[in-house]
Amino acid sequence: IDYTGTEPSSPCNKCLNVSWDSTAPCNCTINFTLEHSFESNVFMYYGLSNFYQNHRRYVKSRDDSQLNGDNSSLLNPSKECEPYRTNEDKPIAPCGAIANSMFNDTLELFRIENNTRTRITLVKKGIAWWTDKNVKFRNPTGDGNNLTALFQGTTKPVNWPKPVYLLDSEPDNNGFINEDFIVWMRTAALPTFRKLYRLIERKDNLQPTLQAGKYSLDITYNYPVHSFDGRKRMILSTISWMGGKNPFLGIAYITVGSICFFLGVVLLIIHHKYGNRNTSADIPN
Amino acid sequence: MSLFGLKFGKKKLKEEERQLQANNRDFNLQFEYANNTIKTSKYNFFTFLPLNLFEQFQRIANAYFLFLLILQLIPQISSLAWFTTVVPLVLVLAVSGVKDAIDDFNRHKSDKHVNNRPVQVLINGMLKDEKWMNVQVGDIIKLENNNFVTADLLLLSSSEPHSLTYIETAELDGETNLKVKQALTVTAELGEDLQKLTEFNGEVRCEAPNNKLDKFTGTLTLRGEKYALDNEKMLLRGCTIRNTEWCFGLVIYAGPDTKLMQNSGKTTFKRTSIDRLMNVLVLVIFAFLGLMCLILAIGNGIWEYNKGYYFQVYLPWAEGVDSASYSGFLMFWSYVIILNTVVPISLYVSVEIIRLGNSFYINWDSKMYYPLSDTPAQARTTTLNEELGQIKYIFSDKTGTLTQNIMCFNKCSINGKSYGDVHDMSGQRIEITENTEKVDFSYNQLADPKFAFYDHSLVEAVKLSDVPTHRFFRLLSLCHTVMPEEKKEGSLVYQAQSPDEGALVTAARNFGFVFRARTPETITVVEMGETKIYKLLAILDFNNVRKRMSVIVQSPEGDLTLYCKGADTILYELLHSSCDSLKEETTEHLNEFAGEGLRTLVVAYKNLDKDYFQDWSKRHHEASTALEGREDKLSELYEEIEKDLMLLGATAIEDKLQDGVPQTIETLAKANIKIWVLTGDKQETAMNIGYSCNLLNDDMDDVFIIEGSTSGDVLNELRNARKKMKPDSFLDSDEINIQFEKSSKNSKVVPDEQANGVYGLVITGHSLAYALEGNLELELVRTACLCKVVICCRVTPLQKAQVVELVKKYKKAVTLAIGDGANDVSMIKTAHIGVGISGQEGMQAVLSSDFSFAQFRYLQRLLLVHGRWSYIRMCKFLKYFFYKNFAFTLVHFWYGFFSGFSAQTVYDEWFITLYNLVYTSLPVLGMSLFDQDVDDRWSMLFPQLYVPGQQNLYFNKVVFVKCMLQGIYSSLILFFIPFGAMYNTMRSDGKAIADYQSFALMAQTCLLIVVSVQIGLDTSYWTVVNQFFIWGSLSVYFAITFTMYSDGMYLIFTASFPFIGTARNTLGQPNVWLAIFLSITLCVLPVVGFRFLKAQLRPTPSDKVLLKIKEAKKRPPPPSPKRRLRRTSTRRSGYAFSHQHGFGALIMSGRNMRPKSPFATTGTFSPNSDKYKHKGL
């Protein structure tokens, strides 16, 4: 579901020109209908288009040591982070363009049943790779667990409304190990990408996770993409053993298989027709 | 060296004339003549580093990587870490540097060895031992028997009468027969007297150093008188003193100025055609690279303008970048760095390694090892191997290369009976092998133990005192110009002017007619143990017109006899009519001998009437003192007496070919290699060898002989020959003529023409000199290349090189020169590949050659097996190498379109560093070291397999473009399949997989597996090593990948390995593997399909051969090597003489006799000795 709001008719059109530093959040709601019910776990993604997360300067604009909890890097981030290395002579944590541009819309899903809106529980943990969560990203270490103290001496990224140690209330999902942050930091390979936002877990075996019907998506619209012609989407999807829905491999296999078969037949005919001629060709000894 | 040498040479003004004074170093020093030091090395200790680096950076590739390195140091541009370039570059430079250093060290060593040879120099009246290098121009030095001549000397005096000095010039021109030099009378008087020699202060003026071996002009001024100097008085460096106890010489040219060194030509660095092609291709790739970078840079400019500008919210432009176009400009260089892997630095290193490996195969080949002289084959230059698989022209020396340079008396026909063949009980002729019983000559104490003869019946005949047999051998022992040397009682050494004569006299000696001594008037022969002294009355000497020689002797009994030997054609005319029947029988035998390639002579005798002889003798004396027309008168007299001869029989001398020469030549001819024989020998000898080693044969449509002595004659002869071979080649409509008119005058490449038959061409050195002149060159090349075989005789070393140069210039073909003597050095150096035979003529040829071995027959193995393999391997290597790097690099190009042209790499940086170095280097090396399409036996059996190499079919520009296209195709697949498979997908647990790191891993895994499969397809000969390398590399890849992406590595080097966990998270996904499999299928499918179609529809001749071999392999092993070739030539030749006038005059004049003959003591020059001057060389 595209909620960028480029079309004037879109409810989010009013938010189109939000900027990073606007204090008042812009809210909008989009209603949609699910034709089929989703039986198994549903994954909720946000998708961005025309967003060059794979630009070279963007990709390297981060400091892995800092994100890994290295205290010296925390206060003295790598040069790669320029120009998001320091702000007002204070080191930025997390530094770099990637962190700075973190996606910060809030999406909420409601089921509309007989005009009542039921909030659907969105699980926000378990959306990042285990290795990322546990190895690659670590909060800085020090006395106590008070993140506020640990991030002392650093400043928040320019675009962020709040510092990194206030990303979440739960301590194991806060700071650098906030999963939303981790997901964002895993840069996409292509300019059009989707990232896992939330999980909708199946509660019991009797009911589908999401029944067919009307839903509404509440968006706290913070993330401007209009300036570079970007698009934002919300995707609900289930997953098969082969991963997400992507018809490419299937089509490709069918095509290649047919080509192989066709080629096989052609070559067989050619072999029968010409093959014998050549074996009998005489060679001077 | 050439660089340095040149500089030195240019500093000095070009020498116009040389002036020097004997025993006056101070005087001579002012001219700064070179001293006798020779220098073939390139560097010394201090110059090594700068010079070597300078040379290495002259290579485009090295310079390019230096440039890249500088680019990478600019932070705005650097898209890869700087060490990715430095490490391999330093490695490459170090490896080549060490190799050069070792080579140069060896050259230093050999220079030192030569420079430190001792020689006796006359200094202040004393003979002092000096090193060669300290010899200066103007010094007088003393040489003793068997010494090498130190420098170019003016002969002053010697131990022999008339200060004759015998020298062997084998190192210089390859001729092993002795030559005589004689000093001026004024200097000869100096003798051995050191006092006089010290006082000798003659002043020499002569021409500047040059490379003409047979020419020298100068004057000696002594006590106010001028004496003319010519080549007869010069001893040249490279010669060896023989039969002369001592001699003194004045150094005229030393060291680099000597004719030998001047003749040895420039040392040029040889490059193979593949090398050159590679350089061109590298340039093409650079252009391609530039184009790609330009496209991407423009793309970047546009992108930054359209999108990046707006995207600055999230990604501001880099510092200092203020416009899209400037960003594009920077991006151009960034992409140069990223895409540089299309020209991988490891290319040159790998090529060197492959060549080195293949050289070791040559060194280790036990089938090219000659046990008798304990010489293995040796690849002295390791950079030319694949060129061995492309040879089109072979230039071969004759003496010592095709032949062993040993003459041996093989057969004879006496009085209508043929001797020499061995028959078994049933009268069947049997082959002579090592085991055949030799004739026992123990009855004769003076026999030469080395002489071998197998037919016992001849000995029987001798023992039975068969009159004709005795007369036959008596003739052989009398009629010759051989000089005996008996140092110890019973050990005779013959010094023959031609080895043929030596062989005949030796034969007679062994059969009991020992030629023991000679004086000007007598010949002492031990006949069956009984010493007889014959009076030598006249020698009717040999010359090229007469083609015969006779002696008139008086036996102890008083009978006068004329003994004559000569060419059959000539002698048959002179026979008495009573021997007609014998003539027929002998002719039959002669045909038989000639058919076996033997050199034949007919011998005859005639008893003379005393009165008649006296009369003749008187007239002869008159004639020989006549002032006008002496030659004519003499020959008239000779003809008068040499008639009505009685035929005795014929001799057959084998100019022993090396083993397997005819077979080798036949095989090489089948491989479409043209063989040119360049020899210093005279025409008849050369042609004879041509026939005996199957170069020429009777099946040929014609053999043209070019012997014109003016430019016009030569042109006519060449034209006529060509007219006959290809009549339409003179028409204007002929393609080549048209082409010539069109093409510019300078750069002509004569395409191959097809003659209408099989022809041979023989050209003499004299005509060759004309033919090599500017306007005739083209004629010569066109005519000669129409012929299957070309024989050039009487050529100088320089001409040999010129001929090679000529073919190199006009034919786009690879040439190989093979020889064994110093006279072949220039040719060996000129040809693309020089092969030295380590034979009897010294080591010069070997030292300047690229490959060396002991026997000519190994050449076929070198070319057909090693050369072909090396070529195939090199081609496969290059094909694969370019393919794999194109497939590797171009993925970045495609990715550029999706990453804002930001020079973002597709792969992990570590993968980029290791891809060429670790993951793919060993499999391709394995293939290019071990691959072979068929094994050596089949390669030799089917020489046709060699042809594709000559035509350069396996790697050329077309093939390269194919590789490139294949690489581009593969890179497309390798990018878009992962792209498609990743686009908007998720892992099976819903988490990310479309991220950059997973994509990188997937793409690189695809790539590596695809190139591994591709090498599997290319490999046609699987060894354990290949398997090990391929599987090993793949497993190393996975091992390294998992290690690098592991937690531990990340925690230790956080900044270096950001790909943590990617391998675990990605490679467990089924869709990743499905995508990998799909890419493999798609990459391989067209290749397999195309190869199959090509093999089915348009098989090349070699494909057919391979197919046939495949079939044959199923059958029992191939028949054993071919039976010995039987030649069926009916051609006869009667040549057993040297190509010069004999020693006859010398002997008769007694000049060279130790007991000084009465009319030789005066030392004045009689007309007679003038004559000698013309005759002897």
Side-chain angles (χ1 to χ4, degrees), chain B residues 84-114:
Chain B
T84 46
T85 310
V86 171
V87 177
L89 183 65
V90 169
L91 208 76
V92 170
L93 293 180
V95 169
S96 329
V98 167
K99 202 177 140 242
D100 288 350
I102 293 172
D103 283 356
D104 209 51
F105 179 71
N106 287 335
R107 275 193 290 265
H108 269 293
K109 233 169 50 180
S110 82
D111 281 356
K112 211 169 153 189
H113 173 72
V114 172

Side-chain angles (χ1 to χ4, degrees), chain B residues 731-745:
Chain B
L731 305 176
D732 283 338
S733 60
D734 190 51
E735 283 172 41
I736 296 156
N737 289 338
I738 296 170
Q739 195 186 321
F740 279 150
E741 274 163 32
K742 277 187 201 159
S743 66
S744 62
K745 287 241 163 176

Side-chain angles (χ1 to χ4, degrees), chain B residues 402-413:
Chain B
L402 298 175
T403 63
Q404 295 175 348
N405 204 15
I406 296 173
M407 301 290 168
C408 71
F409 180 79
N410 192 290
K411 280 175 193 167
C412 62
S413 155

Side-chain angles (χ1 to χ4, degrees), chain B residues 104-136:
Chain B
D104 209 51
F105 179 71
N106 287 335
R107 275 193 290 265
H108 269 293
K109 233 169 50 180
S110 82
D111 281 356
K112 211 169 153 189
H113 173 72
V114 172
N115 284 336
N116 284 335
R117 281 188 195 158
V119 66
Q120 292 184 318
V121 183
L122 185 73
I123 298 172
N124 300 330
M126 303 274 286
L127 278 177
K128 265 173 67 179
D129 272 333
E130 270 285 11
K131 289 171 182 169
W132 274 34
M133 56 187 210
N134 295 334
V135 172
Q136 304 258 345

Side-chain angles (χ1 to χ4, degrees), chain A residues 2 4-7 16-17 47-52 191-192 221 223-233, chain B residues 303 305-314:
Chain A
D2 194 318
T4 326
T6 29
E7 301 84 24
L16 198 57
N17 292 316
L48 294 175
S49 303
N50 213 3
F51 191 100
Y52 283 82
T192 300
Y221 201 115
Y223 199 72
V225 291
H226 182 62
S227 63
F228 57 90
D229 211 12
R231 287 304 182 107
K232 300 196 281 192
R233 281 164 301 147
Chain B
W303 186 87
Y305 184 76
N306 284 340
K307 295 193 173 161
Y309 179 75
Y310 303 100
F311 195 58
Q312 289 199 60
V313 204
Y314 295 122

Side-chain angles (χ1 to χ4, degrees), chain A residues 64-75 138-141:
Chain A
D64 279 322
S65 304
Q66 191 192 45
L67 298 174
N68 196 243
D70 187 84
N71 282 334
S72 60
S73 301
L74 180 70
L75 297 176
R138 284 178 187 180
N139 278 323
T141 46

